């Protein structure tokens, strides 16, 4: 796979369809795995990291799920290309910090990615569009079974999967759902929901992962506890919780449309107008405006526009993407101008289709 | 003339052409005149005011300049219709406050209007598009000569025309020019220009006249002193001053386009985008946005749009206009919604033409 083939679109997991796609952008399951043949990444020598890379590369070459995947050795990539993969949610910023002895395996349509020698030897990630943790689990479980047949997993009956950080031990599974919750934010319910989630041992984060602020009314909700329950039970719990949040957001949208339709239409149509006319725009402002437009698509206020285009904007407006599309380094001021051009051209093209 | 005929357009003086029309919206000359046959308005009885009305109505009926004019007795009009004439700059709010014994004469294309029994018995006003005080003076001087042949003007060799307020005595003439000065505002030169004007005995006011704030970067500059010089001298002085301001604004626009083009394009295009997409909008915000779009038309950034349409928006978005167009009373919240609809429809129609 050539990274340049990916430039103009987003991964399949952002195609904007699937269950509850009007509120749930995507579902993700991540498994942490370690090999018995090397110390944990943070204690391993470069030689040991390289041997993990070689073992994993050889293992995946024998597994059909990875047939069309690409094995990217980070050391051989430019900084912009590494940033590009981070922006596509295919690897973490942490993995890029020390590229030596690190790799990421990416499947053709970007649903599956495996980070090698991040905090754990393997971080297997499966992403799907919409609210679909169950089907994501089925796929990743099958892949994990294949991998476990090829790799000496560190696993103990009393602890389950061993991980570099004890909080991940057990199933070493994290299920996450990315939600778009503008109506809960506008009706000022989000703070209490976040508190309730924290009490239930769930984390809610912003669009760009750990530590990031919630911009564009997007929240990623994940389980914090991976121990003492089966994977299926954990997923069932997340599902039930997310169903509640989705329902609350749906109710809040209906409430706003009933009680404040002109204000809501105004915010949505202005957002759409600005995206189509700005000449200089930051990524932060873009994401806030896209959030309003996304709500407008769901409410039928904006027509002839699909969620996929909006998801693609989220991805394309990021620094490494802009620089790869332009084919040259861009200053922050240049990016703000080019971002505005790209957005206008994209939406004009889609409206023209 | 039926007021409803005027609803959908602005007067000829806002047609957006004439000298320096990219910066000068309109030029206006106002003459104050009083009759020897009655006390000043503020000391006259209702009978005396009525006799002034009758004398003036009879005089103008014999003057060709007033052939297609309409004589509106304010007492016979609804409050909304009176407000409508104020919004069109054809009469002052003060005249509407006590409608009994007051009238306003309006020529067919709204270039000429005469308030009867405002602060003075006659306030004759001539408005023209662009920077054209000279030609406005020629027209109003001819009209004034005709009127003086028909009416017993209060005039003394030592004082000139007598007026209710001593500051107007002498020529009793005020020349005003409405300027659009966004670049001087953006480059923060406007405060020092206003101070300089005040020192030279000129007043600068906002778009909506005395006491009004400068919104939409519009400033109305007028002479304060009407005594001790001929009308031609006064006009020559205003002209020379306005030429300076126009030149400074032109230089500031060029400076901004050279040094900050992306920022300027962004502000202009966003303003245009918002005007074409908002669903709720105040008149204040409209005027600020129109100001940016007007600058964009001059800079060639907005195409296929003329100043006349923008001037019409200034007029049409006002409360009485909105209510007459809709044919019913509207609350402030209703007006904000209807204003947004009207603006979108107007611009879509013009872009489609």
């Amino acid at each position: 796979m050539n990274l340049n083939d990916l430039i103009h679109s987003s991964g399949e997991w952002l195609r904007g369809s699937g269950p509850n796609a009007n509120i749930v952008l995507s579902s993700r399951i991540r498994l942490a795995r370690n090999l018995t043949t090397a110390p944990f990444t943070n204690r391993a020598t470069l030689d040991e990291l390289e041997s993990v890379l070689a073992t994993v590369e050889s293992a995946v070459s024998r597994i059909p799920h990875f047939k069309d995947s690409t094995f990217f050795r980070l050391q051989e990539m430019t900084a912009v290309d590494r940033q590009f993969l981070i922006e596509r949610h295919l690897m973490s910023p942490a993995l890029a910090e020390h590229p030596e002895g690190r790799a990421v395996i990416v499947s053709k349509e970007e649903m599956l990615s495996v980070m090698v020698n991040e905090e754990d030897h393997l971080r297997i990630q499966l992403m799907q569009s919409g609210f679909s943790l169950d089907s994501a689990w089925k796929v990743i479980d099958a892949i994990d079974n294949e991998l476990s047949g090829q790799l000496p997993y560190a696993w103990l009956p009393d602890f389950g999967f061993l991980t570099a950080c004890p909080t991940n031990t057990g199933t070493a599974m994290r299920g996450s759902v990315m939600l778009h919750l503008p109506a809960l934010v506008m009706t000022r319910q989000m703070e209490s929901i976040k508190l309730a989630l924290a009490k239930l041992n769930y984390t809610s984060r912003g669009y760009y992962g750990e530590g990031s602020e919630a911009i564009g009314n997007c929240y990623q909700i994940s389980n914090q506890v991976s121990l003492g329950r089966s994977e299926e039970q954990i997923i069932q719990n997340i599902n039930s919780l997310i169903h509640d949040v989705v329902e609350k957001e749906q109710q809040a949208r209906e409430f706003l449309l009933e009680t404040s339709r002109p204000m809501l239409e105004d915010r949505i149509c202005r957002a759409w107008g600005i995206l189509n006319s700005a000449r200089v725009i930051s990524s932060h402002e873009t994401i806030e405006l896209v959030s309003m437009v996304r709500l407008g698509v769901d409410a039928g206020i904006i027509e002839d526009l699909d969620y996929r285009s909006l998801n693609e904007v989220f991805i394309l407006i990021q620094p490494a993407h802009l620089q790869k599309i332009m084919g040259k380094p861009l200053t922050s001021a240049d990016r703000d101008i080019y971002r505005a051009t790209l957005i206008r051209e994209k939406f004009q093209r889609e409206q023209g289709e």
Side-chain angles (χ1 to χ4, degrees), chain A:
Chain A
M1 188 200 304
N2 187 321
L3 286 193
N4 292 327
D5 300 340
L6 305 178
I7 285 179
H8 293 283
S9 64
S10 62
E12 264 305 289
W13 60 279
L14 278 177
R15 68 171 186 273
S17 57
N20 300 101
N22 62 331
I23 293 172
V24 185
L25 280 81
S26 59
S27 303
R28 185 181 77 125
I29 293 183
R30 185 269 289 151
L31 303 176
R33 299 292 184 256
N34 288 279
L35 309 187
T36 55
T37 51
F40 287 134
T41 305
N42 64 338
R43 317 205 99 202
T45 63
L46 189 53
D47 281 348
E48 287 166 333
L49 294 178
E50 288 290 347
S51 87
V52 171
L53 283 189
T55 309
V56 171
E57 186 167 21
S58 151
V60 300
S61 71
R62 292 188 295 271
I63 298 175
H65 282 109
F66 290 94
K67 196 167 70 73
D68 292 318
S69 296
T70 308
F71 195 97
F72 293 104
R73 278 173 192 268
L74 297 200
Q75 213 177 336
E76 295 165 7
M77 304 177 83
T78 64
V80 169
D81 280 353
R82 288 193 292 261
Q83 184 59 34
F84 180 82
L85 291 178
I86 294 171
E87 290 177 358
R88 297 181 84 78
H89 299 232
L90 297 170
M91 68 181 217
S92 65
L95 190 69
E97 266 166 37
H98 308 283
E100 307 79 16
R102 268 78 175 178
V104 59
I105 308 167
V106 178
S107 74
K108 194 169 165 239
E109 293 187 318
E110 301 172 63
M111 311 260 274
L112 170 66
S113 82
V114 182
M115 291 190 282
V116 189
N117 292 329
E118 213 244 23
E119 186 179 297
D120 297 294
H121 292 150
L122 295 180
R123 285 274 177 117
I124 312 162
Q125 164 181 281
L126 199 111
M127 297 190 288
Q128 291 204 336
S129 182
F131 186 14
S132 43
L133 284 177
D134 289 323
S135 74
W137 166 246
K138 272 186 201 127
V139 179
I140 202 169
D141 187 36
I143 293 165
D144 184 48
N145 286 338
E146 295 280 353
L147 281 167
S148 73
Q150 302 287 341
L151 293 168
Y153 277 174
W155 183 86
L156 287 176
D158 284 355
F159 294 104
F161 293 100
L162 303 187
T163 52
C165 178
T167 59
N168 291 321
T169 307
T171 60
M173 184 191 82
R174 175 162 282 165
S176 312
V177 175
M178 183 71 78
L179 297 158
H180 181 234
L181 305 173
L184 288 176
V185 173
M186 280 190 247
T187 54
R188 299 181 189 283
Q189 297 178 71
M190 207 49 222
E191 285 311 309
S192 64
I193 287 174
K194 277 162 73 179
L195 283 176
L197 288 171
K199 275 194 193 157
L200 293 167
N201 273 315
Y202 287 84
T203 58
S204 51
R205 298 170 176 147
Y207 185 71
Y208 293 115
E210 200 148 1
S212 73
E213 199 194 346
I215 57 171
N217 305 305
C218 285
Y219 292 86
Q220 183 181 312
I221 297 177
S222 322
N223 63 308
Q224 246 177 333
V225 177
S226 55
L227 192 71
R229 292 199 185 102
S230 73
E231 288 86 347
E232 286 82 359
Q233 280 172 328
I234 294 172
I235 289 172
Q236 203 182 322
N237 289 346
I238 308 178
N239 277 345
S240 133
L241 186 94
I242 298 296
H243 268 302
D244 283 357
V245 177
V246 165
E247 200 174 319
K248 280 200 170 63
E249 168 66 19
Q250 195 62 56
Q251 285 164 357
R253 289 185 186 186
E254 283 158 20
F255 171 81
L256 284 176
L257 279 165
E258 248 171 57
T259 58
S260 321
R261 182 176 266 273
M263 173 283 288
L264 204 63
E265 284 188 349
D266 186 55
R267 283 190 63 177
I268 289 166
C269 293
R270 279 174 185 245
W272 183 231
I274 292 171
L275 283 173
N276 281 289
S277 53
R279 263 41 181 184
V280 180
I281 198 164
S282 70
S283 58
H284 188 114
E285 186 187 3
T286 305
I287 287 170
E288 295 294 351
L289 295 174
V290 166
S291 166
M292 283 299 107
V293 172
R294 171 183 287 276
L295 181 60
V297 170
D298 181 40
I301 292 166
I302 305 279
E303 290 172 350
D304 302 323
L305 185 70
D306 55 32
Y307 295 126
R308 168 164 226 152
S309 313
L310 294 170
N311 290 345
E312 281 176 356
V313 167
F314 272 7
I315 298 292
L316 299 184
I317 59 161
Q318 299 172 97
H321 275 76
L322 291 176
Q323 298 183 73
K324 279 188 77 71
I325 296 171
M326 276 298 269
K328 63 175 184 186
L330 298 169
T331 65
S332 169
D334 286 343
R335 289 203 299 269
D336 285 353
I337 295 173
Y338 184 57
R339 182 179 295 115
T341 309
L342 190 80
I343 293 168
R344 287 201 316 284
E345 287 177 356
K346 180 168 177 59
F347 286 138
Q348 272 159 24
R349 208 163 43 236
E350 312 225 338
Q351 295 286 298
E353 269 168 14

